Amino acid sequence: MDVETVLAPVDGSEAAMDAFEYAVAIADRYDAGVHALHVLGEAAGRGVAAGDVDDEDVAALAEELMESTREVAGEIPLNHSSAYGFSASRLTQHPGSVILDAADEVEADFIVLPRQPVTGDPDAVIEKAAQYVLAYATQPVLSV
């Protein structure tokens, strides 16, 4: 199997960071890079759209999260991006579709994400997407 890019969605949850460690291990094994996708929750998206949450606050949160991923990645090449997991104007946008769209955009060869069950934590966005990604991804998926 040829792996050049491993996509690892992160949302700040412990489960996502645990899965990110697996993504780094896979990238290390295949001499690949990791793309960390920060998936923002519904509250952040609505807050920014309504003007209640400042874009700079969201960017600061994303940078803090990416600093954590850089620490875990060490010498593994790391890229990152952010995406809203939900949209009030696009009803088909949800964490699963966002992850799969990002996988296509970055030409990911492998996806690693946390497994369900849903904990109920409003910031744990990715756990709601695992089943969807497992069902519809065209890349191999590891759900941990």
Side-chain angles (χ1 to χ4, degrees):
M1 180 164 67
D2 187 31
V3 176
E4 292 181 24
T5 303
V6 179
L7 179 70
V10 293
D11 57 11
S13 67
E14 186 177 327
M17 290 308 292
D18 289 346
F20 185 79
E21 290 179 17
Y22 280 88
V24 169
I26 290 167
D28 186 41
R29 165 67 174 88
Y30 289 97
D31 197 26
V34 175
H35 186 97
L37 173 66
H38 177 207
V39 182
L40 295 154
E42 189 171 6
R46 288 179 192 231
V48 168
D52 298 333
V53 176
D54 187 28
D55 284 336
E56 291 178 13
D57 293 337
V58 172
L61 173 66
E63 183 53 38
E64 183 179 311
L65 182 56
M66 290 307 116
E67 182 58 36
S68 296
T69 61
R70 281 191 281 276
E71 289 174 15
V72 173
E75 298 296 316
I76 301 297
L78 176 66
N79 292 312
H80 61 84
S81 61
S82 296
Y84 290 104
F86 297 92
S87 170
S89 61
R90 192 173 145 214
L91 297 178
T92 60
Q93 182 172 333
H94 54 81
S97 68
V98 167
I99 292 167
L100 293 180
D101 289 347
D104 289 342
E105 259 183 56
V106 302
E107 298 179 354
D109 304 298
F110 205 100
I111 302 171
V112 179
L113 73 165
R115 180 179 315 197
Q116 293 176 303
V118 177
T119 63
D121 180 355
D123 293 326
V125 180
I126 298 167
E127 66 186 12
K128 300 170 185 168
Q131 186 173 356
Y132 184 89
V133 172
L134 285 165
Y136 296 107
T138 58
Q139 306 84 345
V141 177
L142 175 62
S143 180
V144 293

